[in-house]
Amino acid sequence: MSKHIKKIKLQKKKNFYKNLKSQNLSLIIGVVFFSILLIILSKSIFKGGFLPDKYNKNMRYYNAVVSDVISEDLSKDPYLEDVEIGFQKILVKINSSNFTEDSYLIENPISRLYNIKVKEGSKVIIGVLEKDGNIQMNLYSYDRSNMIYLLIAIFITSVVLIGGFKGIKSLVALFFTLICCVYLMVPLMLRGINPIFAGILMSTLSIIITLILVSGFNKKTLTAILGTVSGVIISGLIAYTFGYLTNLSGLNMSEAESLTYIAEDTGLKIRGIMFTGILVASLGAVMDIAMSISSSIFEIYKVNNKISFSELFKSAMNIGKDTIGTMTNTLILAFAGGSLSILILIFSANMPFNKMINLDLLGIEIIQGLSGSIGIVLAVPITAFIGCYLCKNNISFLKNNKIKTKNLSS
């Protein structure tokens, strides 16, 4: 009799995992299909193309290989280490059927900023401009694509080998987030939609899909979703408010001049781009801390479902306090690392404090870092409250989950 019961339990366990795997596979396929649909629909969101041809000035770019360095006149830069400046004459072979000759002569000036020193066999990108029957060629950059693809392959392999099926789900979620950024948020902004609204829409979609993929559709996931959305929106609102109060609207960004030319041909609203960047930048950190708090709450409640609301909330806050320090530090360091060259320039200038603290660039970086960190901090009590409320107000659902867990473990 006991063997028969064990056999039934084992069969139930196998069926549970089989159904779970089937649901996860269906969800992954659904997310991939939705991502492809977004790529297709992006052309109808913004029909003008992402960059009008006038910005490329009819320049076409081709992969090529340096077949020979005919001559060069190079000297070491007296101030910069491992930098040579001067001039090269090179022959390149273009990998395209549009060019029938074996090789083409290109003059390659090498300066501090435009420092592309090549040798025989170097893979490069060539810019070709056809004008009035004449062809002008110049060396645009190194061809780094193969190494980039290799790095992507190493990343994917590492995630799959170590994370297994959950790693695959994480990669699908990352893929979906990137698709939302490029093929939903950007076309909406170019169409003239407010960048903050476009950022919130993209962030919300990314949060929902990512957390459902990682943790399934349950109350723990719902708690993390609501906590993350709240934290991200708070970050954006604080950034917008203090950007307005400090007269930093996004027109002060280093890329603003280039963006104004794009705005001439599209409906792009530059003023909200800075705050949208903060939404996207803080998304990962807020999602991380919200999921950690949510998981902790439901694990505590699973162990002791008689715990009171106040005790459960206090435990969740204690866990949140431990993670706040590292998460805020992570976000601040991420912004600091991305602006390291700005920090070096400011420090080297040795300017008065009242001038330094009022620099546009520094103000933008401070608002970005601190508003994102405030969003992380406030996401802790919000997520804790939502999680505790859901635990204490729908016990029957949790009991059913608990019975399933016991059956699986026996």
Side-chain angles (χ1 to χ4, degrees), residues 36-82:
I36 296 171
L37 188 64
L38 275 180
I39 295 174
I40 296 170
L41 291 177
S42 66
K43 293 180 180 179
S44 62
I45 295 173
F46 179 69
K47 297 180 180 179
F50 284 95
L51 281 175
D53 196 56
K54 75 174 186 177
Y55 299 110
N56 290 322
K57 297 182 179 178
N58 298 315
M59 184 77 76
R60 298 292 179 264
Y61 298 93
Y62 300 92
N63 296 73
V65 178
V66 177
S67 55
D68 190 18
V69 178
I70 297 175
S71 64
E72 62 182 12
D73 182 14
L74 301 173
S75 59
K76 289 186 177 181
D77 189 286
Y79 301 105
L80 301 179
E81 186 180 2
D82 298 329

Side-chain angles (χ1 to χ4, degrees), residues 114-139:
Y114 187 80
N115 196 268
I116 306 176
K117 179 188 173 184
V118 297
K119 59 184 179 180
E120 185 178 344
S122 295
K123 294 182 179 181
V124 294
I125 303 296
I126 301 297
V128 179
L129 178 63
E130 297 183 27
K131 190 175 182 180
D132 300 328
N134 297 320
I135 298 178
Q136 293 180 332
M137 294 185 180
N138 67 294
L139 191 62

